[in-house]
Amino acid sequence: MEETYLLNVEGVKKKILHGGQGELPKLQDGSKFTFHFQTLKDDFERTVIDDSREAGMPMEIIVGKMFKLEIWETLLSSMRIGEVAEFWCDAIHTGMYALVSRGMRRIAEGRDPLEGQKHRCGMGNMFDYHSTGYDDLDELQRTPQPLIFIMELFRVRGRRGWPPEREQLGQATQLLLLAQVEDPSAYKRDTWAMSKEEKLAAVPVLHSEGNRLVLRREFAQAAAKYQEAVICLRNLQAKEKPWEDGWLKLESLVTPLVLNYCQCQLELGEYYEVLEHTTELLQKHNDNAKAYFKRAKAHAAVWNEREAREDFQRVAHLDPSMAAAVKKELKQLGERMRKKHVEDRKRYQGLFQSSQGL
């Protein structure tokens, strides 16, 4: 899957997940895109914000009708019929997303999307809202940030919306073509398009694939498998009430996957990423000895001696069976720090002598 950049569009990256059919649609004002989309945060878990499939209805926008999120028209214009693509968009393009999402959610709930809205421009309305009525959207309004959009384009209509030869097709043929495009067996389904049952079934498979890749020391590929499994579970967890039974059962599956991911990152030398994810894990599970152990190793790797020793000591306290491993790590840490101090002293002495000779 190669990453490409949309030409002449700053702050946008595109990945084609599944190729489309035919040429790019020829568009003019009045052409209508029909598509499914998923909106995600640009974080480790790729937190899902909106999913048109979950809402049970596709999205439609009309070219030239000043849709509030202008970048979507640009993104869709780069796609062929049947294409599935992932777009990373910088915050300069996503500032209006909270208002757009608010309207779409209200429509899905059978409510008036403009209820309570003053007749002003979009940016003006943003300041009129004390709250969108949705906590996650309020957060996006307070802290504009890059977002990821996964889009599946399955229809473009308009006077020139279809290629000329397709304009001549009968309605039944067009519907057949559309059905072929939407057939989930036509391409490997990505996690964003999976049902709840499919996501649950995918997790142990991804976990097993990750373990197999670790044995082959293919740590980057293994990390990607663990991360994908975490994304599946986090998407499901978002629909559960935090700390209740359903949420906790999913969390019990997430934890070992995050730890496996962190182990891969240790092997790859991504120590600060390990510090980030283990710290986040320990904020929820402060008795997890393995998380402390991996964080301690990351601290040691970046010369945080005090923090490393504290975490190693916690490990020995929480899990006496790891005492031998902790003792070995502390010995190695002491040796590394002593060597570093000797090297630092020599370096400083050299600098001092050089300055004295000037």
Side-chain angles (χ1 to χ4, degrees), residues 29 40 64 98 117 128 149 185 208 234 310 325 329 337 341 348:
D29 286 359
L40 308 95
Q117 180 170 313
D128 285 332
F149 302 111
S185 66
S208 178
R234 290 299 193 204
E310 288 177 354
E329 292 290 340
M337 296 306 300
H341 293 327
Y348 295 144

Side-chain angles (χ1 to χ4, degrees), residues 46-66:
R46 289 165 63 96
T47 306
V48 177
I49 300 172
D50 289 307
D51 187 336
S52 63
R53 294 180 186 277
E54 291 286 340
M57 56 188 294
M59 181 69 182
E60 294 183 341
I61 64 173
I62 299 174
V63 176
K65 295 299 182 182
M66 298 182 69

Side-chain angles (χ1 to χ4, degrees), residues 266-283:
L266 281 173
E267 298 287 351
L268 294 168
E270 299 291 344
Y271 304 119
Y272 288 102
E273 187 166 359
V274 175
L275 291 175
E276 177 186 348
H277 295 305
T278 51
T279 298
E280 183 179 347
L281 189 63
L282 287 165
Q283 286 171 351

Side-chain angles (χ1 to χ4, degrees), residues 273-332:
E273 187 166 359
V274 175
L275 291 175
E276 177 186 348
H277 295 305
T278 51
T279 298
E280 183 179 347
L281 189 63
L282 287 165
Q283 286 171 351
K284 290 186 281 189
H285 310 287
N286 62 5
D287 59 348
N288 192 302
K290 291 181 179 179
Y292 278 118
F293 189 78
K294 295 185 193 305
R295 191 172 74 171
K297 286 177 71 70
H299 275 308
V302 296
W303 308 105
N304 296 337
E305 182 181 11
R306 179 179 60 81
E307 292 87 347
R309 289 187 180 280
E310 288 177 354
D311 278 353
F312 279 133
Q313 288 165 3
R314 288 193 187 99
V315 172
H317 174 73
L318 289 168
D319 188 351
S321 69
M322 297 181 70
V326 167
K327 184 177 179 181
K328 179 181 177 182
E329 292 290 340
L330 286 172
K331 181 180 178 181
Q332 290 178 350

Side-chain angles (χ1 to χ4, degrees), residues 239-251:
K239 299 174 178 62
E240 302 287 342
K241 193 168 182 179
W243 302 105
E244 293 198 350
D245 287 346
W247 189 93
L248 288 169
K249 286 178 182 177
L250 293 169
E251 184 69 13

